[in-house]
Amino acid sequence: MSRRPFRPSLALIAALLLLGAVPPARPEGAPAEEAERLVATALEKSPDLRAARDAAAAAAERVRPAGALPDPMVSLSYENDGGAFSLGEMEMTRLSLMVEQALPFPGKLRLAEEIAKKDAERAATAPDRAVLALSGAVRRAHAGLLEARENVRIVEEQVETWNGIEEVSRARYAAGLATQQDVLRAQAERTRLLQQREADLAAEETALSTLRQLLFLPEGTAIPTEARLVPGRLPALPTTEEAVKRALEETPELRDAALAKERGRLGADLARRNLTPDFVASAGYMNRGGLPLMWSASVGVTVPLWAGRKQRPLVVEAERLTSSAAATEESLRRRVEALARERLIRMN
């Protein structure tokens, strides 16, 4: 009887382990070491990763400005008493220098800075997401390449086997010890295997093309890969509890959802504080030429007169966004837990 072509389970398991955002448990051995080298090369060259890191760095630069006071306003004015220039002659003629500083209600700047910090922390999850996505894509392509090459090797071995079976069947048929059906069956099986070999060669070329794209190599560039799959050598699988715990701790999307919920809570606090008035302090120096100088100091306050149309709707918006972020986090947590368990079941 014929042997069915072997489909290496190690490649399938590696692909399942590395699929999606859940961080993979890396198998040991030469295939994994070779995959890690390819991953390092892809991460070094990836413009997507550079873009995510630059965006995260840009978000971090917005934290300190968010907690700073508004810029003060300085104004210079001249008031003249009479039609002719009268500085130093008329009491009401003066050259004034005014400085004005807005002072937000206590706590507003602190909350604004904390919100900017949460936005920066959320932006910092993007590089982690890019690393996981690119690493998983490279490892899946590498696993597919090794699987295709192993399949080609197995099919070629079986083609040789069926060539021998056909020769024996022909000899037995010539001697009257076998039927022509035995010869035809051997030829049909060899033809099927040759077709399978073409499909496996196409799969190998597809995996190579994908790797070139991920490694930013020109089309046709050779990718040296020497590792081979070893049937029966499977990576050690974590327990369900370990896999779920690791997935919950290391999934960037889940961290982003938790940060979005916290950011929403801070935004709601700031929106409520915006119902309180802000202050404006100003001071002025007035030069009157040869006459005694004058000075002024004042404190003003903003009046949230249109709170019903302006500030209160923003409070409701912030509270809704907080509730939405909390629901998103809960849903994503359940999905991550379920996906981790599902993949372990498929690998056992």
Side-chain angles (χ1 to χ4, degrees):
M1 297 183 62
S2 64
R3 291 185 300 158
R4 297 179 60 187
F6 170 71
R7 300 293 177 201
S9 58
L10 180 57
L12 176 59
I13 288 176
L16 293 174
L17 280 169
L18 302 172
L19 182 63
V22 179
R26 295 183 178 88
E28 299 178 355
E33 294 172 1
E34 187 172 82
E36 291 306 311
R37 290 195 296 271
L38 294 174
V39 167
T41 301
L43 293 178
E44 181 182 355
K45 295 183 177 181
S46 172
D48 293 334
L49 181 56
R50 290 199 303 272
R53 286 173 174 168
D54 287 342
E61 294 298 327
R62 292 193 289 267
V63 175
R64 291 181 61 191
L69 285 170
D71 292 333
M73 185 176 73
V74 179
S75 60
L76 182 66
S77 63
Y78 175 77
E79 298 177 63
N80 192 75
D81 188 359
F85 186 78
S86 58
L87 183 64
E89 299 174 1
M90 304 295 292
E91 291 185 357
M92 298 303 295
T93 299
R94 55 199 175 197
L95 178 65
S96 303
L97 176 65
M98 302 293 295
V99 179
E100 185 176 272
Q101 174 66 62
L103 301 170
F105 194 84
K108 287 186 178 181
L109 290 180
R110 175 185 58 81
L111 284 171
E113 185 171 353
E114 290 182 3
I115 289 173
K117 187 179 298 183
K118 293 301 175 184
D119 288 338
E121 291 174 0
R122 291 188 64 189
T125 65
D128 295 338
R129 188 180 303 114
V131 167
L132 283 177
L134 182 56
S135 300
V138 171
R139 293 189 183 105
R140 287 193 297 273
H142 180 256
L145 174 63
L146 298 187
E147 180 183 18
R149 287 178 173 175
E150 185 68 12
N151 287 338
V152 170
R153 186 185 67 81
I154 296 296
V155 166
E156 288 177 347
E157 288 182 357
Q158 294 208 346
V159 167
E160 291 299 320
T161 299
W162 280 102
N163 283 336
I165 292 174
E166 182 186 3
E167 292 179 3
V168 172
S169 298
R170 285 182 179 278
R172 289 173 56 83
Y173 176 64
L177 300 176
T179 64
Q180 187 177 17
Q181 183 179 1
D182 295 330
V183 178
L184 295 176
R185 184 162 65 98
Q187 292 175 342
E189 185 64 23
R190 183 183 61 186
T191 300
R192 185 188 67 80
L193 288 171
L194 290 175
Q195 292 173 341
Q196 181 62 51
R197 180 177 179 276
E198 292 302 315
D200 292 333
L201 287 173
E204 177 184 3
E205 189 55 38
T206 299
L208 283 171
S209 179
T210 302
L211 278 175
R212 292 189 192 102
Q213 177 185 358
L214 295 171
L215 298 175
F216 290 89
L217 296 174
E219 189 63 30
T221 303
I223 300 179
T225 50
E226 301 176 356
R228 288 185 55 186
L229 296 177
V230 181
R233 291 181 56 183
L234 301 179
L237 299 181
T239 64
T240 301
E241 292 75 16
E242 292 173 341
V244 170
K245 180 181 178 181
R246 184 182 179 193
L248 292 176
E249 290 176 349
E250 299 186 22
T251 299
E253 288 82 358
L254 191 56
R255 293 203 308 272
D256 180 70
L259 290 169
K261 181 180 69 174
E262 183 63 18
R263 198 264 189 213
R265 185 188 65 79
L266 293 171
D269 289 345
L270 180 58
R272 295 187 194 97
R273 285 185 182 266
N274 283 334
L275 293 169
T276 59
D278 294 328
F279 305 97
V280 179
S282 61
Y285 164 80
M286 286 155 278
N287 185 298
R288 299 195 296 168
L291 300 176
L293 64 85
M294 296 177 63
W295 62 272
S296 68
S298 64
V299 176
V301 62
T302 62
V303 180
L305 186 62
W306 317 113
R309 292 175 57 88
K310 186 177 180 181
Q311 285 91 349
R312 292 192 184 280
L314 297 179
V315 174
V316 176
E317 177 198 22
E319 291 173 344
R320 294 294 186 184
L321 289 175
T322 303
S323 176
S324 173
T328 299
E329 181 192 20
E330 180 182 0
S331 174
L332 185 57
R333 183 178 297 273
R334 290 179 177 272
R335 287 167 54 195
V336 169
E337 291 178 354
L339 190 58
R341 290 191 172 93
E342 174 189 339
R343 287 174 180 170
L344 278 178
I345 293 173
R346 294 173 64 184
M347 288 185 290
N348 284 326

